[in-house]
């Protein structure tokens, strides 16, 4: 008996001794041995303290860091891992820290990290029993088990499979936006904490894509996972975390964690069983992650046997991991993206077109997981150091991604542009960016997360703009992923789509276009909010028009002073701001030729005010323009125009009859010829367009003149830049609309008379309206109504006949008479030879073109010459600048010398497009022959009866109204021949 007792006592002593040794080894000898080993390898850190290690300091520093928010900054490492930051400061990057009795070495060398991530069978994932309560699955498994799970799960994350999940992402995001729609006012803004909505969105998405169920069905799992995550983190921050076997102690927390884990498994198992039953019955589609995983597993078992498949328990663990990883990662990415875009509104605007660079930069600054951990189970060489067995390693993702030595001085700044050529170029081939890990174990779900985030952000940006609320407190904190700590205080201000459009129009789009243009070599003033260069343009125009100039043909500084100054300051490749819209100056003849030839690409810009004056062929584009051009062309054939000579003759005779009464038969008389020439061309267009004389059409002409004045008054007002201003019932707006109605009514009356006459066989089709109506009738008769033009469109063409037909010819005639008054030798030559008149007109149109510039607009990004131009950019083609350019026309470019055209336009321009007073390409002015024929007859009849010279009272003041006109009239001294 005594021997037995002795044996028991000995056994107990040995047992106690072994476990006492194990405890002492765990709590003291092993930590001290590992500390010594690490110090020999060049690692430094705090000396080990019994059992606690660095625990107290860690908890205290984290508590202090999380006790208050920080000023907005991306330098968040001191807040999210304060103890590690201090350790690096005190001991350098090769340091270690103590989590209880276990040392963890910090590895910050990109080459070492690359080696760790590539040797995944050596450097394995550390595990803790608490981790199993949350989820195991592929993220926790190692070696062969990991390889098997990766192989079976891979098919679920192929890009083709992920594309099938886009409808689920869309539905989940639509539901979130529907909730916002009820909260955010349709006009104005609203403060909203988006964080819980983004969590719900990503949970809903993972429920749909993982299980084919929506968030409401999967809410129980999500809520339980959230509870369990909170309890696990509570346990991790407790001192009991370091006590082996503490999880078996039946504390309230431990019991609750086990109960939740069972409930989660039960809920997921129910979903799995439903899915399997549906698959067996041939009803279940394998478009969701669970279905694809089960199908992949069935195929593997069928081909290779049960041991090659995974168990039901394994499937449950993978589903738990789908929930946690799929929900946490994407919600973290989205919330930090929205926060950063709230601070960087220029990038918010750019995000509507390109988000990949932005997501990379957000993941660099705010990675969902701020560090990765690995463990080695045997002594291992890494780089130049040897590491002891059972050592844990920390790979501080966020520290490397914020390191100025790796990313430059702006490492902590938000600059997505650094990724414009991809990750490899941004990192210069180093492993300094690994938000999803790296090597064979790189996160299998990264494409899933990025695809979901891209769709969600795109849908949000389509409907809302946002900025940070004053109540937002910047407090990044690491829970399962990096989250905003004060979730209730993260508020974004959402504005309606109309407010966003306004902000985009008034600031983001102009700034983006300015940046684009500068990259293409264009220069100009920096954009100023809303008004752009408006103040300077108006002030310089006002100054230029305040007084006449000495007689000279160098009129560019007077008629477009701001453009002249811009070219002087910035060169010919410059841009200017008409409110929030940039306009690029194109002065290269080759580029202008390309613009004219590609009329479907480089289109006419339009403004609502244009409709009050006239639309018609001048403003229509693409197919509508082509149809109108085809129908109107017959009216301007030379044979048809010859029939209009009697009308030109009668109108000019009427004007000369009036002069006959004013100018004495003997002697001379001063006369302002400008109003007479306007009357002449108004009368001529009335007769030739409508077959009515000027007296009958006087109402239309006077109304058009009034309308032009009001429109130009509006254009020079700041209100021109305010969208929708024309709907405000101001006195001017009401009058313009009233005039437009009266003009349309008068023209419609003329059209109805003409149509009635044609029907009765009484109307001749010698006038422009008659020819247009006849052409339209023939087109409809042959091809159907859709090939003709409407009555409204006929009215618009008639309004255009009036404006273009009257303005262009009167401008040409008045400058011709002024120049011939200065150059009496050419006046004599014009009287003698008709050929001379053509040369004279060409030279007048070169020096004083009716339209001094043309404008075009592009609706998509376009290449022109060597430059790429952004969509919605307006272009100015400065006719007068090119036609006055000494590089193109010689030293006498600003002199009146019709002789330069004695061999025609082509010879004078040497084949370059440096002369285009009537435009060019397919859209060259359809009425140029009309204008030239009328002007030739008028000038010939004037020269037959009168000689003229400039009056001393004439003040030279070219002024751009609708066309180039003499501001103070054209006072000439007329004398009968």
């Amino acid at each position: 008996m005594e021997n037995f007792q002795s044996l028991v006592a000995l056994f107990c002593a040995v047992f106690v001794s072994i476990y006492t040794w194990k405890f002492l080894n765990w709590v003291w000898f092993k930590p001290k041995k590992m500390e010594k080993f690490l110090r020999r390898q060049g690692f430094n850190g705090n000396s080990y303290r019994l059992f606690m290690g660095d625990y107290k300091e860690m908890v205290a520093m984290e508590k202090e860091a999380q006790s208050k928010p920080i000023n907005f900054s991306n330098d968040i490492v001191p807040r999210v891992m304060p103890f590690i930051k201090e350790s690096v400061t005190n001991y350098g990057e090769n340091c270690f820290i103590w989590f209880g009795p276990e040392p963890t070495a910090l590895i910050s060398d990109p080459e070492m990290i690359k080696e760790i991530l590539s040797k995944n069978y050596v450097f394995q994932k550390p595990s803790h029993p608490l981790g199993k309560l949350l989820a195991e699955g592929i993220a926790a498994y190692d070696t062969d088990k990991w390889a098997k799970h990766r192989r079976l799960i891979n098919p679920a994350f192929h890009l083709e499979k992920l594309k099938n999940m886009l409808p689920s992402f869309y539905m989940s995001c639509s539901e979130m936006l529907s909730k916002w729609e009820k909260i955010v006012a349709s006009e104005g803004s609203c403060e909203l904490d988006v964080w819980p909505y983004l969590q719900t969105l990503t949970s809903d998405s993972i429920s749909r894509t993982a299980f084919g169920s929506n968030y409401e069905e999967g809410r129980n799992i999500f809520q339980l996972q959230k509870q369990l995550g909170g309890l696990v983190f509570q346990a991790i921050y407790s001192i009991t975390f370091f006590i082996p076997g503490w999880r078996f102690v039946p504390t309230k927390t431990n019991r609750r964690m086990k109960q939740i884990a069972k409930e989660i498994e039960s809920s997921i198992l129910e979903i799995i069983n439903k899915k399997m039953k549906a698959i067996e019955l041939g009803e279940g589609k394998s478009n969701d992650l669970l279905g694809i995983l089960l199908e992949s597993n069935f195929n593997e078992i069928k081909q290779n046997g049960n041991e090659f498949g995974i168990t039901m328990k394994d499937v449950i663990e993978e589903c738990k991991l789908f929930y946690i990883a799929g929900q946490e990662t994407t919600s973290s990415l989205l919330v930090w993206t929205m926060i950063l875009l709230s601070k960087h509104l220029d990038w918010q605007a750019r995000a509507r077109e390109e988000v990949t660079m932005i997501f990379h930069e957000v993941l660099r600054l705010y990675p969902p997981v701020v560090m990765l951990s690995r463990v080695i189970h045997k002594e291992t060489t890494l780089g130049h150091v040897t590491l002891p067995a059972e050592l844990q390693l920390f790979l501080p993702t966020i520290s490397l991604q914020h390191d100025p030595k790796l990313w430059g001085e702006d490492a902590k700044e938000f600059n997505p542009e650094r990724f414009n050529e991809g990750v490899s170029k941004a990192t210069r081939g180093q492993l300094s960016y690994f938000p999803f890990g790296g090597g064979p174990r790189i996160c299998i779900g990264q494409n899933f997360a990025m695809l979901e985030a891209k769709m969600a952000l795109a849908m949000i940006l389509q409907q809302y703009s946002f900025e940070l609320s004053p109540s937002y407190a910047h407090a990044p904190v690491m829970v399962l992923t990096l989250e905003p700590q004060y979730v209730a205080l993260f508020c974004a201000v959402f504005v309606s789509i109309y407010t966003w459009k306004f902000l985009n129009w008034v600031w983001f789009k102009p700034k983006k276009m300015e940046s684009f243009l500068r990259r293409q070599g264009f220069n100009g003033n920096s954009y100023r909010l809303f008004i752009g260069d408006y103040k300077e343009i108006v002030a310089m125009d006002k100054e230029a028009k305040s007084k006449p100039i000495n007689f000279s043909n160098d009129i560019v500084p007077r008629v477009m002073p701001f453009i002249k100054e811009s070219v002087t300051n910035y060169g010919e490749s410059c841009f200017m701001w008409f409110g929030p819209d940039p306009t690029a100056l194109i002065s290269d003849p080759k580029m202008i030729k390309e613009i004219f030839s590609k009329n479907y690409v480089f289109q006419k810009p339009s403004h609502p005010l244009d409709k009050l004056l006239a639309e018609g062929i001048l403003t229509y584009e693409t197919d509508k323009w082509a149809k109108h051009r085809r129908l109107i062309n017959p009216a301007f054939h030379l044979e048809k125009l010859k029939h209009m000579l009697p009308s030109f003759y009668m109108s000019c005779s009427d004007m000369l009859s009036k002069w006959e009464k004013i100018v004495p038969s003997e002697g001379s008389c001063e006369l302002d010829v400008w109003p007479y020439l306007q009357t002449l061309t108004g009368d001529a267009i009335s007769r030739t367009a409508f077959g009515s004389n000027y007296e009958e059409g006087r109402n239309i002409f006077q109304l058009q003149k009034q309308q032009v004045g009001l429109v130009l008054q509006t254009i020079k007002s700041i209100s021109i830049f305010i969208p929708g201003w024309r709907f405000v019932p101001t006195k001017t707006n009401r009058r313009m609309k009233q005039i437009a109605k009266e003009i349309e009514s008068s023209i419609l009356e003329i059209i109805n008379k003409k149509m009635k006459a044609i029907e009765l066989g009484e109307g001749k089709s010698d006038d422009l309206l008659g020819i247009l109506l006849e052409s339209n009738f023939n087109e409809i008769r042959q091809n159907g109504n859709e090939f003709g033009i409407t009555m409204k469109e006929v009215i618009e063409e008639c309004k255009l006949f009036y404006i273009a037909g009257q303005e262009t010819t009167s401008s040409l005639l008045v400058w011709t008479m002024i120049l011939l008054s200065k150059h009496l030798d050419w006046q004599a030559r014009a009287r003698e030879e008709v050929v001379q008149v053509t040369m004279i007109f060409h030279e007048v149109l070169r020096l004083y073109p009716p339209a001094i510039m043309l404008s075009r607009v592009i609706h998509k990004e376009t290449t022109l010459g060597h430059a790429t131009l952004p969509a919605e950019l307006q272009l100015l083609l400065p006719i007068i600048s090119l036609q006055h350019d000494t590089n193109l026309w010689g030293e006498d470019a600003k002199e009146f010398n019709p002789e330069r055209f004695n061999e025609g336009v082509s010879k004078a321009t040497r084949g370059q497009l440096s002369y285009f007073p009537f435009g060019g390409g397919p859209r060259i002015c359809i009425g140029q022959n009309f204008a030239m024929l009328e002007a030739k007859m008028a000038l010939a009849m004037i020269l037959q009866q009168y000689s003229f010279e400039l009056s001393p009272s004439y003040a030279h003041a070219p002024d751009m109204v609708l066309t180039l006109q003499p501001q103070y009239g054209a006072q000439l001294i007329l004398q009968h021949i």
Side-chain angles (χ1 to χ4, degrees):
M1 187 68 181
E2 285 182 11
N3 288 336
F4 177 74
Q5 288 176 344
S6 297
L7 283 171
V8 170
L10 180 62
F11 176 78
C12 289
V14 170
F15 181 84
V16 170
S17 297
I18 288 170
Y19 280 92
T20 302
W21 165 249
K22 282 187 176 180
F23 174 75
L24 291 172
N25 188 50
W26 170 71
V27 84
W28 184 254
F29 300 123
K30 184 182 174 184
K32 292 301 288 181
K33 181 183 174 184
M34 291 181 80
E35 179 182 347
K36 192 176 179 182
F37 195 121
L38 287 168
R39 290 191 190 281
R40 283 202 307 269
Q41 295 300 314
F43 287 86
N44 288 297
N46 293 331
S47 294
Y48 172 63
R49 277 162 287 188
L50 184 66
F51 184 66
M52 303 291 290
D54 293 323
Y55 171 77
K56 279 188 176 179
E57 290 85 343
M58 278 183 197
V59 171
M61 289 179 76
E62 288 202 13
K63 191 175 179 182
E64 171 64 22
Q66 293 173 18
S67 66
K68 53 187 181 293
I70 58 174
N71 292 333
F72 197 100
S73 163
N74 301 318
D75 186 13
I76 62 172
V77 174
R79 190 179 202 278
V80 297
M81 44 187 210
F83 186 78
I84 293 175
K85 172 70 175 172
E86 188 177 76
S87 296
V88 171
T89 303
N90 293 338
Y91 299 110
E93 290 184 345
N94 290 333
C95 66
F96 58 83
I97 50 185
W98 296 97
F99 288 89
E102 295 174 356
T104 297
L106 201 70
I107 307 296
S108 301
D109 183 326
E111 289 302 314
M112 287 186 177
I113 291 172
K114 188 176 183 180
E115 186 178 344
I116 290 168
L117 294 176
S118 63
K119 295 179 178 178
N120 60 301
Y121 272 55
V122 177
F123 300 92
Q124 298 181 13
K125 289 279 191 86
S127 66
H128 190 279
L130 285 177
K132 295 177 182 178
L133 287 174
L134 274 177
E136 288 188 287
I138 192 173
Y141 298 145
D142 268 303
T143 62
D144 295 341
K145 189 169 185 178
W146 165 80
K148 179 169 75 171
H149 279 245
R150 182 89 180 199
R151 187 178 67 252
L152 292 171
I153 294 169
N154 253 335
F157 291 95
H158 285 171
L159 206 54
E160 286 307 308
K161 295 285 187 183
L162 293 179
K163 286 177 183 175
N164 294 330
M165 297 174 190
L166 288 174
S168 298
F169 297 153
Y170 179 83
M171 287 171 66
S172 300
C173 199
S174 294
E175 286 179 10
M176 180 187 76
L177 294 176
S178 296
K179 291 172 186 173
W180 289 2
E181 196 71 30
K182 294 171 185 175
I183 299 167
V184 182
S186 60
E187 298 294 332
S189 60
C190 171
E191 183 181 84
L192 187 70
D193 177 9
V194 298
W195 174 231
Y197 289 96
L198 295 174
Q199 288 178 301
T200 300
L201 158 68
T202 52
S203 299
D204 191 4
S205 289
I206 202 65
S207 291
R208 284 190 165 104
T209 54
F211 309 119
S213 59
N214 65 24
Y215 175 67
E216 297 303 323
E217 284 179 291
R219 173 178 280 177
N220 185 45
I221 298 170
F222 172 60
Q223 291 297 341
L224 289 170
Q225 286 275 43
K226 205 170 180 182
Q227 276 186 58
L228 187 57
L231 291 171
V232 166
F233 269 83
Q234 182 184 320
I236 286 170
Y237 284 97
S238 164
I239 191 66
T240 58
F241 179 71
F242 305 119
I243 302 174
W246 183 261
R247 68 190 184 281
F248 299 117
V249 178
T251 63
K252 185 179 177 182
T253 301
N254 285 346
R255 290 199 310 273
R256 181 61 186 142
M257 285 194 292
K258 287 173 187 173
Q259 182 190 348
I260 291 172
K262 283 181 182 176
E263 288 178 33
I264 290 169
E265 287 187 17
S266 174
S267 298
I268 291 174
L269 186 59
E270 192 177 334
I271 293 171
I272 292 170
N273 287 333
K274 282 181 184 176
K275 176 64 69 175
M276 289 177 71
K277 192 171 182 181
I279 290 171
E280 286 167 10
L281 295 171
E283 299 169 2
K285 292 181 181 178
S286 298
N287 286 338
D288 53 61
L289 296 174
L290 174 60
I292 298 166
L293 172 59
L294 290 173
E295 186 179 43
S296 177
N297 193 39
F298 289 153
N299 293 337
E300 187 74 19
I301 291 169
K302 197 183 297 169
Q303 289 172 23
N304 301 306
N306 282 336
E307 68 275 14
F308 287 90
I310 60 175
T311 65
M312 187 58 69
K313 169 69 176 166
D314 290 337
V315 173
I316 290 170
E317 290 302 323
E318 295 300 348
C319 290
K320 285 161 68 177
L321 187 61
F322 286 163
Y323 247 110
I324 291 176
Q327 189 270 331
E328 291 283 336
T329 305
T330 315
S331 58
S332 173
L333 172 56
L334 280 171
V335 77
W336 294 115
T337 300
M338 291 190 72
I339 289 171
L340 286 168
L341 293 183
S342 297
K343 286 291 287 183
H344 301 273
L345 299 180
D346 53 335
W347 278 102
Q348 188 179 139
R350 290 179 68 174
R352 286 173 171 82
E353 296 169 14
E354 166 56 42
V355 297
T356 305
M357 291 193 306
I358 291 167
F359 279 145
H360 280 316
E361 183 70 344
V362 173
L363 288 167
R364 187 185 71 82
L365 292 169
Y366 295 83
V369 179
V370 297
M371 67 180 80
L372 300 176
S373 58
R374 292 293 187 268
V375 66
I376 48 175
H377 295 296
K378 61 181 181 180
E379 193 174 293
T380 303
T381 300
L382 175 64
H384 60 278
V385 299
T386 302
L387 304 175
E390 307 307 322
L391 178 69
Q392 288 205 55
L393 308 174
F394 267 174
L395 320 182
T397 311
I398 194 167
S399 297
L400 269 79
Q401 294 182 178
H402 284 210
D403 192 341
K405 294 195 290 292
L406 299 171
W407 293 92
E409 291 304 312
D410 67 340
K412 297 183 179 73
E413 299 301 317
F414 179 72
N415 176 22
E417 200 68 53
R418 70 179 89 239
F419 288 100
N420 70 344
E421 295 182 64
V423 172
S424 181
K425 194 82 170 175
T427 59
R428 292 172 298 208
Q430 296 182 96
L431 192 72
S432 53
Y433 174 79
F434 49 103
F436 291 106
R441 292 201 69 137
I442 192 167
C443 175
I444 198 170
Q446 64 172 320
N447 288 333
F448 178 98
M450 291 293 273
L451 202 61
E452 180 186 358
K454 281 180 182 179
M455 174 163 276
L457 186 63
M459 291 179 70
I460 291 166
L461 289 169
Q462 279 174 8
Q463 295 192 40
Y464 298 98
S465 68
F466 41 89
E467 59 185 58
L468 280 181
S469 165
S471 60
Y472 169 73
H474 194 50
V477 63
M478 191 64 201
V479 188
L480 269 181
T481 52
L482 191 63
E483 302 174 359
Q485 181 180 348
Y486 302 114
V487 292
L489 292 178
F490 169 63
C491 304
V493 177
F494 285 82
V495 292
S496 70
I497 190 167
Y498 299 104
T499 308
W500 162 249
K501 282 183 177 178
F502 173 75
L503 291 171
N504 188 47
W505 167 71
V506 84
W507 184 254
F508 304 125
K509 184 180 171 186
K511 291 302 288 180
K512 180 184 172 186
M513 290 181 81
E514 179 180 347
S515 178
F516 195 121
L517 287 168
R518 290 192 190 281
R519 288 199 302 271
Q520 294 300 313
F522 288 85
N523 288 296
N525 292 332
S526 293
Y527 173 63
R528 278 161 286 187
L529 185 66
F530 186 63
I531 59 172
D533 294 323
Y534 171 77
K535 279 187 178 177
E536 291 83 346
I537 291 170
V538 170
M540 291 179 77
D541 271 349
K542 191 175 179 181
E543 171 64 22
K545 290 177 182 178
S546 65
K547 53 187 181 294
I549 58 175
N550 293 331
F551 197 99
S552 162
N553 301 318
D554 185 13
I555 62 172
V556 173
R558 189 179 204 276
V559 296
M560 46 186 210
F562 185 80
I563 293 174
K564 173 70 175 172
E565 187 178 76
S566 296
V567 171
T568 303
N569 293 338
Y570 300 110
E572 290 187 344
S573 293
C574 67
F575 59 84
M576 59 218 73
W577 296 96
F578 291 91
D581 298 317
T583 298
L585 201 72
I586 306 296
S587 302
D588 183 327
K590 288 180 181 176
M591 286 187 179
I592 292 172
K593 188 176 182 180
E594 184 179 345
I595 289 168
F596 283 147
S597 64
K598 295 179 178 177
N599 61 300
Y600 273 52
V601 176
F602 299 93
Q603 300 183 8
K604 290 281 191 84
S606 65
H607 190 279
L609 286 176
D610 296 340
K611 295 176 182 178
L612 291 172
L613 280 176
E615 287 188 288
I617 192 173
L618 189 68
T619 60
Y620 297 146
E621 287 296 342
T622 62
D623 295 341
K624 189 171 185 178
W625 165 80
K627 178 170 77 171
H628 279 244
R629 182 90 181 199
R630 187 178 67 252
L631 292 171
I632 295 169
N633 254 336
F636 291 94
H637 286 169
L638 207 55
E639 287 306 308
K640 295 285 186 182
L641 293 179
K642 286 177 183 176
H643 295 300
M644 297 176 189
L645 288 174
S647 297
F648 297 154
Y649 180 84
M650 287 172 66
S651 300
C652 198
S653 294
D654 286 351
M655 180 188 75
L656 293 174
S657 296
K658 292 173 186 173
W659 288 5
E660 194 72 30
K661 296 172 184 175
I662 300 168
V663 181
S665 55
E666 297 294 330
S668 60
C669 173
E670 182 185 270
L671 187 69
D672 180 3
V673 298
W674 174 230
Y676 291 96
L677 294 174
Q678 287 178 298
T679 301
L680 157 67
T681 52
D683 190 6
I685 199 67
S686 290
R687 284 190 164 102
T688 55
F690 309 119
S692 59
N693 65 25
Y694 177 66
E695 297 303 324
E696 283 180 284
R698 173 178 280 175
N699 184 44
I700 297 171
F701 176 60
Q702 290 298 337
L703 289 170
Q704 284 279 43
K705 203 169 180 182
Q706 275 187 60
Q707 190 77 307
V708 168
L710 292 170
V711 166
L712 290 176
Q713 177 188 321
T714 306
I715 286 171
K716 291 174 184 176
S717 161
I718 191 70
S719 63
I720 187 69
F721 304 124
I722 303 174
W725 182 260
R726 67 191 184 280
F727 299 117
V728 179
T730 63
K731 185 179 178 182
T732 301
N733 286 345
R734 289 199 308 271
R735 181 62 187 142
M736 284 195 293
K737 286 172 186 172
Q738 183 188 348
I739 290 172
K741 283 180 182 176
E742 289 178 31
I743 291 169
E744 287 187 17
S745 175
S746 298
I747 292 174
L748 185 59
E749 192 175 334
I750 294 171
I751 292 170
N752 287 334
K753 284 180 183 176
K754 175 65 68 176
M755 288 178 71
K756 194 171 182 180
I758 290 171
E759 285 168 10
L760 295 171
E762 299 170 1
K764 291 181 181 179
S765 298
D766 289 343
D767 53 59
L768 295 174
L769 175 59
I771 298 167
L772 172 59
L773 290 174
E774 185 178 47
S775 176
N776 193 38
F777 289 152
N778 292 337
E779 187 74 21
I780 292 169
R781 194 181 303 129
Q782 290 172 23
N783 300 306
N785 282 336
E786 68 273 15
F787 288 89
I789 61 175
T790 65
M791 186 57 69
K792 168 69 177 165
E793 289 170 343
V794 172
I795 291 170
E796 291 302 322
E797 295 299 350
C798 291
K799 286 161 69 177
L800 189 58
F801 287 163
Y802 247 110
I803 291 177
Q806 190 270 330
E807 290 281 336
T808 305
T809 315
S810 59
S811 173
L812 171 56
L813 280 170
V814 76
W815 293 115
T816 300
M817 292 190 73
I818 289 170
L819 286 167
L820 292 182
S821 297
K822 285 289 287 182
H823 301 274
L824 300 179
D825 54 334
W826 278 102
Q827 187 181 141
R829 288 175 69 173
R831 198 172 279 113
E832 292 165 10
E833 260 187 275
V834 176
V835 177
Q836 306 291 331
V837 173
T838 304
M839 294 192 329
I840 290 166
F841 279 149
H842 281 316
E843 183 69 343
V844 173
L845 287 168
R846 185 183 73 80
L847 292 170
Y848 295 84
I852 60 173
M853 66 183 80
L854 297 175
S855 57
R856 292 292 186 268
V857 67
I858 49 175
H859 296 295
K860 62 180 181 180
E861 193 174 294
T862 303
T863 299
L864 177 64
H866 61 277
T868 301
L869 305 176
E872 307 307 322
L873 178 69
Q874 290 206 47
L875 309 174
L876 272 187
L877 319 182
I879 301 172
I880 195 166
S881 297
L882 268 80
Q883 294 184 177
H884 286 209
D885 192 339
T886 51
N887 294 321
L888 299 170
W889 293 92
E891 291 304 313
D892 67 340
K894 297 181 179 73
E895 299 302 317
F896 180 72
N897 176 21
E899 199 67 54
R900 71 179 86 240
F901 288 100
N902 69 346
E903 294 182 65
V905 172
S906 182
K907 194 79 172 176
T909 59
R910 291 171 297 198
Q912 294 184 95
L913 193 70
S914 54
Y915 175 79
F916 48 103
F918 291 104
R923 291 201 71 138
I924 193 165
C925 175
I926 198 171
Q928 64 173 319
N929 289 334
F930 178 99
M932 291 294 273
L933 200 62
E934 180 187 356
K936 281 179 182 178
M937 175 164 274
L939 186 63
M941 291 179 70
I942 292 167
L943 288 169
Q944 280 172 10
Q945 295 190 40
Y946 296 96
S947 65
F948 42 88
E949 59 184 67
L950 277 182
S951 167
S953 63
Y954 170 73
H956 194 50
D959 181 30
M960 191 63 202
V961 189
L962 265 186
T963 52
L964 193 62
Q965 303 175 3
Q967 184 178 345
Y968 304 116
Q971 294 80 14
L972 306 182
I973 296 173
L974 272 66
Q975 187 171 4
H976 277 287
I977 293 175

